[in-house]
């Protein structure tokens, strides 16, 4: 992976595209990844010269990327859209109260225990939503997996495998349900045609508002670091 020298050095991800007609730089506000898209026939030396010319812009963009906050005791974490304070707990399991997430055990293990708890809850909620939407659509899915994806909230493969970001459990329930509906709708329409959006609207009549919420506030769901 090419590196832009300096303090600090910056790794550059090169992505060749048949659609690209010129060099194009992108700095992700989620994780600070710098991607240079270039035409298929462009020379890498020319691409790296372009990067050097744009160093000032790249470093300014990187300075605007918010740092993820480490989760621990005292952190305020949204669970299904409700802000809850992480506090010491007793027993063996994480518990949810009206205003708290109670995490037992060594404080150093709090991030990992919370991540495990959130992933399990996300799987439960997403599986229930996908099962419901798949029944409504009349098209079963093959399996469901969770990842900590940065570029998309979910995906659906040609063979019916659904993937979701487990961080959707931090969003209000209607947002998680919309993403489930969106991906299940791909079981019928593997595109983003008007026919696809008609399927989404049938599964989630308020999808436009939920989609807009993700565009406005979804980035904040990546603002928590669990040490995993």
């Amino acid at each position: 992976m090419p590196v832009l020298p300096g303090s600090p050095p910056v790794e550059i991800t090169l992505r060749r595209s048949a659609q690209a007609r010129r060099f194009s730089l992108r700095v992700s506000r989620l994780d600070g990844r710098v991607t240079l898209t270039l035409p298929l026939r462009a020379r890498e030396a020319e691409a790296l010269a372009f990067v050097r010319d744009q160093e000032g812009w790249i470093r300014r963009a990187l300075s605007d990327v918010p740092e993820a906050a480490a989760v621990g005791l005292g952190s305020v974490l949204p669970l299904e859209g409700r802000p809850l304070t992480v506090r010491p707990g007793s027993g063996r399991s994480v518990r949810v109260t009206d205003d708290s997430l109670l995490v037992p055990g060594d404080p150093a293990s709090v991030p990992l225990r919370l991540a495990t708890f959130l992933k399990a809850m996300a799987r439960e909620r997403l599986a229930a939503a996908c099962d419901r939407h798949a029944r409504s659509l009349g098209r079963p899915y093959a399996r469901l997996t969770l990842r900590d994806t940065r570029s998309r909230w979910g995906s659906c493969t040609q063979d019916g495998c659904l993937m979701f970001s487990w961080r959707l459990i931090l969003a209000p329930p209607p947002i998680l349900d919309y993403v489930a509906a969106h991906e299940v709708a791909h079981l019928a329409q593997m595109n983003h045609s008007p026919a696809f959006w008609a399927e989404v609207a049938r599964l989630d009549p308020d999808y436009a508002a939920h989609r807009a919420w993700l565009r406005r506030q979804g980035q904040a769901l990546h603002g928590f670091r669990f040490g995993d």
Side-chain angles (χ1 to χ4, degrees):
M1 183 180 293
V3 174
L4 177 66
S7 181
V10 178
E11 291 187 342
I12 308 294
T13 299
L14 298 182
R15 187 177 72 88
R16 293 187 181 273
S17 169
Q19 287 73 44
R21 296 292 178 266
R22 56 186 177 81
F23 298 127
S24 175
L25 273 168
R26 178 178 179 272
V27 176
S28 171
R29 285 187 57 79
L30 296 179
D31 57 10
R33 181 177 302 175
V34 181
T35 302
L36 174 64
T37 301
L38 58 156
L40 291 178
R41 296 179 180 277
R43 293 192 304 167
E44 186 170 317
E46 294 176 340
L48 297 181
F50 176 80
V51 167
R52 288 192 293 271
D53 288 343
Q54 299 298 317
E55 179 176 1
W57 179 87
I58 292 171
R59 294 194 182 279
R60 286 194 298 273
L62 286 172
S63 69
D64 291 335
V65 176
E67 290 189 15
V71 171
L73 296 179
S75 299
V76 177
L77 195 66
L79 177 63
E80 298 190 300
R82 290 192 300 140
L84 302 178
T85 301
V86 180
R87 294 190 169 96
S90 58
R92 302 180 62 183
S93 303
V94 175
R95 291 189 299 117
V96 181
T97 69
D98 288 343
D99 62 357
S100 301
L101 277 164
L102 304 178
V103 186
D106 183 351
S109 70
V110 166
L112 181 58
R113 297 199 69 164
L114 268 178
T116 301
F117 172 79
L118 293 171
K119 290 173 186 178
M121 181 178 283
R123 179 176 294 279
E124 178 183 316
R125 299 291 194 271
L126 283 162
C130 290
D131 288 349
R132 187 177 73 257
H133 292 312
R135 284 195 301 269
S136 178
L137 194 65
R139 292 177 180 263
Y141 61 93
R143 63 188 174 91
L144 185 154
T145 59
L146 299 182
R147 296 179 187 170
D148 192 8
T149 50
R150 300 286 173 168
S151 60
R152 59 178 61 188
W153 294 108
S155 65
C156 175
T157 64
Q158 290 281 357
D159 55 354
C161 295
L162 305 179
M163 183 282 297
F164 298 96
S165 167
W166 63 262
R167 289 177 185 263
L168 285 165
I169 197 61
L170 304 177
I175 308 304
L176 178 148
D177 192 77
Y178 155 66
V179 179
H182 183 118
E183 300 310 332
V184 167
H186 278 308
L187 297 171
Q189 298 285 338
M190 285 297 294
N191 51 57
H192 286 96
S193 66
F196 164 78
W197 289 110
E199 295 287 3
V200 175
R202 186 162 69 84
L203 299 174
D204 178 12
D206 294 327
Y207 82 87
H210 302 149
R211 188 181 183 212
W213 188 98
L214 268 180
R215 288 182 169 178
R216 291 193 312 269
Q217 303 188 51
Q219 181 179 316
L221 306 185
H222 293 281
F224 304 95
R225 189 172 71 250
F226 293 85
D228 56 345

